[in-house]
Amino acid sequence: MSADSMEIDDSLYSRQRYVLGDSAMQQMAQSSVFLSGMGGLGVEIAKNIVLAGVKVLTLHDTKQCETWDLGSNFFLRQDDVLTQRNRALAVHPRVAELNPYVHVDTSSSSLDLSTDLSFLKRYQCVILTETRLSLQKKINDFCHFHQPPIRFIGCDAYGICVRVFCDFGDQFEVSDPTGEEAKEMFIQNITQGKPGVVTCMDSRTHGLQTGQSVLFREVNGMDSLNGTARQVTVLSPYSFTIGDTSCLQPYAHGGFFLLVKTPRTYSFETMEQQLSEPQVLTPDFSKPEAPLQIHAAMLALDAFQEQHNRLPNIGCCQDAEVLVKLTEEVNLTLTTRAPVNSELVRCLSRTAQGSLPPLAAAVGGIASQEVLKALTGKFAPLQQWVGCGAIGCEMLKNFALLGVGLVCVTDPDLIEKSNLNRQFLFRSQHIQKPKSTTAAVATLEINPEMQVDAHLNKVCPATEGVYNDLFYSRLHLVVTALDNVEARRYVDSRSVSNQKALLDSGTMGTKGHTEIIVPNLTESYNSHRDPPEEEIPFCTLKSFPAVIEHTIQWARDKFESAFAHKPTIYNMFWQTHSSAEAVLQRMQQRETLEGAFQVVKLLSRRPSQWEHCIILARLKFDKYFKRKALQLLHSFPLDTRLKDGSLFWQSPKRPPSPIEFDLKDSLSEEEREAIAQLEEAITADHVTPERLRMSPRMFEKDDDLNGHMDFVAAASSLRARMYSIEVADRLKTKRIAGKIIPAIATATAAVAGLVSLELVKVVGGYGFESFNNCFFNLAIPVMVLTEAAPVKRTQIREDISFSIWDRWTVWGHQHFSLSDFIKAVLVNYGVEPTMVVHGVKMLYVPVMPGHNKRLKLTMQKLIKPSVDRRYVDLTVSFAPESDGDEDLPGPPVRYYFIDNSGAS
């Protein structure tokens, strides 16, 4: 994105544009940022805001590189330490190459209480890390009282505790506090009254809050509402009032409403004002006192540094007790306070000199998003503190765990330019290279001692030969970063089957989640079911689109049909049939050939030159945008009524309007000639082998030169016009047609940091109470930490129960029968199966005809395993203890075909 032209490089920024919008992106491209402190936290923030696309970033630091820094700053190398380079100068080239549109410069000038701060006037935002509190307060005052205010963010990370403080001035206007896209909600009814009540169609929840405003469109009868905004008072999830409607015409039918985005002004206090009575974000509602406890402990740490000109010594008990006493004294000065958490303070003292990279990543993501808010006025800002820490955990002994010994990473995808905006290991020279191997090489630059085994496979049933039980047996845990539910469910099932912890995470825009799954302690991903994604009914897509999503999906379907599905069928047909002449002969003999008529139709209409393509496109235009509309209106005239007397064409149904092609038709003679040529091809007299092959085109949304998005955008826009639906711009069309998940580096960094914190706990052997799942939305901002869901046990008998992590085992042999299997389960586990199922095949259900005869058959004959198959997992059920109850499920029973305890 060029700051001069304000053009946005969509190939780089496309995923971020969906999060921030073009206006915010353009504001960022004109903004200058000052960032002090190039430790682990500072470099995280630098990385995120350069990827986001500011105009200028100044990296400031007065310290030289030390060996200590290599453990937290991923842009420093051993040579930087050996040559004692300034930290800002050392990281500068690696930060700068993240984004060619951002100018990155450096400063190593002294910054202390005597520094003239006038140089800060050229920046729109100032971020301080590794800065004493006294200096933070001075710089914050300068920024707050400057006109216009310079947005200020202070960040600190000491050992197990972090804090972020924001001050964006007395009057900070936010254009869009939530960033949520306004949805069209169709109306069932609007009453005449004081107040009038609006009811949503089909009991859809409106998601509104009292005090918000909605805009009305396409209302029939009560027409004067159209184009007006009304403030709402919520009555129920499906209805709300909109003030006096008694003087309006009666509501007839149709219409929809949209939430109106209302700007909001936020007022901030200075750091000095906020110290004694802080406004804090509470991440863990089970520990509401924790943010204030961390606030007091961090203020005490500031006081310790002022008194001793150093941080507490690592593991020093004497320093820890001094810090506890200081915290108690500081706490008494606070207007808003919580009881001192002495264990937290002691842990902070012992670890304050250290840096925990996952914590720096998580808070770096949070702080970076606040920078973007400060520059753009997009999303609600943090007011005014967030503090978090690994409360009650002795982290020091586990810091070394973050030098993970071996990582196996797999990803079948290639790097695209849009990846460079949020995946900082990749550079422009890596485009179209494999993600996994490229990431592996980049990771080894950060930690040469690490072993990385990079694969190019999907993890799915087809690759179980690679990712088999032996593979899982060599792992300590599994970490996923998948973008679909099906893949998550599969990896979860394999992790449970192999008794491995799983750390799952994902992001969508500014939202992120993490889930920790630990053997025998927690539920798994498959233990809960998200509601299925709502699909658009076929009749809606075909004939009755109501919103722009319907026309975009229709256009995408037409692309798939014309350029992928039909050419694929065409090719498959000619792979099984030797020639067009042979096919013609068999058809003349009235043989039934599957797909023959569709293939012949494609062959007859297959263009042989560019002009024929234009003719076909012109004919398709009339078919889709004129004749279809005329046919529909012929079947259902505008005055058609249903049995109850209501109009057929009322919201959400929209009547189509035929579209006339608006260019002069000069091709009629050529059309007749081309169609004659194409019909002649049916005889197959002049069909060459080349004409019996097509090249299917898989939809590719990110290549602006392939015409794919041009087709979908044009077709969708025409259909929208035909049905009087507001047309979407190309950017929105691309997101919906390409099913693009909005993404931004800040959320990616935060979620990766949170997952890595849980990794430390898993490998460190921590107990159930230490594990946290997390949901956050950096836009609002909100962060919610919850305990992992404890594993549930299912009771089969009074003394027999199981959980998802349990698996029973039966060892068999070549002549082992189904009856032997049932007896083995009874002998080994004390309960007799009443049903045995393998996958979707029912092996034994007593009520099924002939199943009792199967008891004598061998398991080998019943299951018919492949030659290399050593075992199968069977589903079993048991009779209930009380008559009339349903059968009880049991744990999976792993049956080994050979009695060999070494089988896997």
Side-chain angles (χ1 to χ4, degrees), residues 176-179 369 373 378-381 510-511 777-782:
D176 181 0
T178 68
Q369 189 67 55
K373 295 175 188 179
K378 180 74 177 276
F379 304 139
T510 58
K511 299 171 186 172
N777 185 347
L778 300 182
I780 301 179
V782 65

Side-chain angles (χ1 to χ4, degrees), residues 11 14 28 30 62 115 169 310 351 407 437-438 509 542 570 761 828 844:
S11 61
S14 63
M28 276 199 304
Q30 301 176 76
T62 58
T115 302
R310 63 174 175 84
T351 62
V407 173
T437 53
T438 306
K542 182 176 174 61
Y570 186 87
K761 299 175 189 177
N828 294 338
Y844 177 63

Side-chain angles (χ1 to χ4, degrees), residues 741-786:
I741 299 174
I744 191 167
T746 51
T748 304
V751 87
L754 291 166
V755 163
S756 299
L757 282 172
E758 300 306 311
L759 181 148
V760 173
K761 299 175 189 177
V762 170
V763 181
Y766 287 96
F768 172 80
E769 67 285 347
S770 71
F771 298 123
N772 285 309
N773 293 334
C774 180
F775 168 79
F776 65 76
N777 185 347
L778 300 182
I780 301 179
V782 65
M783 177 177 286
V784 179
L785 297 172
T786 60

Side-chain angles (χ1 to χ4, degrees), residues 115-224:
T115 302
D116 180 1
L117 300 179
S118 60
F119 74 95
L120 294 175
K121 293 179 180 180
R122 65 176 181 269
Y123 298 102
Q124 283 73 52
C125 184
V126 170
I127 312 147
L128 302 181
T129 70
E130 301 186 2
T131 305
R132 293 281 182 88
L133 185 65
S134 55
L135 183 54
Q136 286 193 52
K137 289 192 290 185
K138 178 183 176 180
I139 294 175
N140 172 233
D141 283 346
F142 177 86
C143 293
H144 184 95
F145 295 109
H146 184 267
Q147 290 301 323
I150 301 168
R151 317 309 180 190
F152 174 87
I153 298 173
C155 308
D156 294 297
Y158 293 108
I160 62 160
C161 289
V162 292
R163 69 180 173 194
V164 177
F165 171 80
C166 294
D167 174 9
F168 298 166
D170 289 329
Q171 300 287 311
F172 180 70
E173 185 170 289
V174 173
S175 59
D176 181 0
T178 68
E180 297 293 333
E181 185 178 9
K183 302 277 185 175
E184 295 179 359
M185 297 293 294
F186 289 100
I187 297 167
Q188 183 74 45
N189 187 45
I190 307 175
T191 64
Q192 283 180 297
K194 295 182 179 180
V197 177
V198 180
T199 305
C200 300
M201 183 170 283
D202 299 330
S203 298
R204 295 292 181 100
T205 55
H206 51 65
L208 299 172
Q209 297 175 5
T210 296
Q212 291 181 321
S213 296
V214 296
L215 179 70
F216 290 91
R217 292 181 181 170
E218 300 184 15
V219 175
N220 289 281
M222 207 174 276
D223 299 54
S224 56

Side-chain angles (χ1 to χ4, degrees), residues 688-699:
T688 63
E690 287 74 21
R691 288 179 63 78
L692 301 184
R693 288 193 300 273
M694 289 187 181
S695 300
R697 291 291 180 257
M698 298 300 111
F699 182 69

Side-chain angles (χ1 to χ4, degrees), residues 409-426:
V409 57
T410 185
D411 193 320
D413 291 344
L414 301 180
I415 297 164
E416 299 172 355
K417 189 175 179 181
S418 63
N419 298 134
L420 307 186
N421 177 234
R422 62 194 181 280
Q423 296 172 358
F424 79 101
L425 295 179
F426 304 148

Side-chain angles (χ1 to χ4, degrees), residues 43-148:
V43 79
E44 280 284 351
I45 297 170
K47 176 253 296 179
N48 293 333
I49 60 179
V50 167
L51 289 173
V54 298
K55 180 180 181 181
V56 175
L57 173 65
T58 299
L59 306 176
H60 171 265
D61 203 309
T62 58
K63 297 179 182 177
Q64 293 178 332
C65 299
E66 299 180 32
T67 302
W68 190 263
D69 293 312
L70 297 176
S72 59
N73 188 321
F74 47 81
F75 278 154
L76 292 183
R77 302 291 180 261
Q78 188 69 45
D79 285 349
D80 299 322
V81 175
L82 295 175
T83 56
Q84 294 188 312
R85 296 190 72 194
N86 172 275
R87 292 195 301 181
L89 292 173
V91 303
H92 172 259
R94 298 179 184 102
V95 173
E97 71 176 352
L98 290 172
N99 192 334
Y101 296 114
V102 179
H103 175 74
V104 182
D105 56 32
T106 63
S107 169
S108 56
S109 302
S110 175
L111 184 60
D112 54 36
L113 293 173
S114 62
T115 302
D116 180 1
L117 300 179
S118 60
F119 74 95
L120 294 175
K121 293 179 180 180
R122 65 176 181 269
Y123 298 102
Q124 283 73 52
C125 184
V126 170
I127 312 147
L128 302 181
T129 70
E130 301 186 2
T131 305
R132 293 281 182 88
L133 185 65
S134 55
L135 183 54
Q136 286 193 52
K137 289 192 290 185
K138 178 183 176 180
I139 294 175
N140 172 233
D141 283 346
F142 177 86
C143 293
H144 184 95
F145 295 109
H146 184 267
Q147 290 301 323

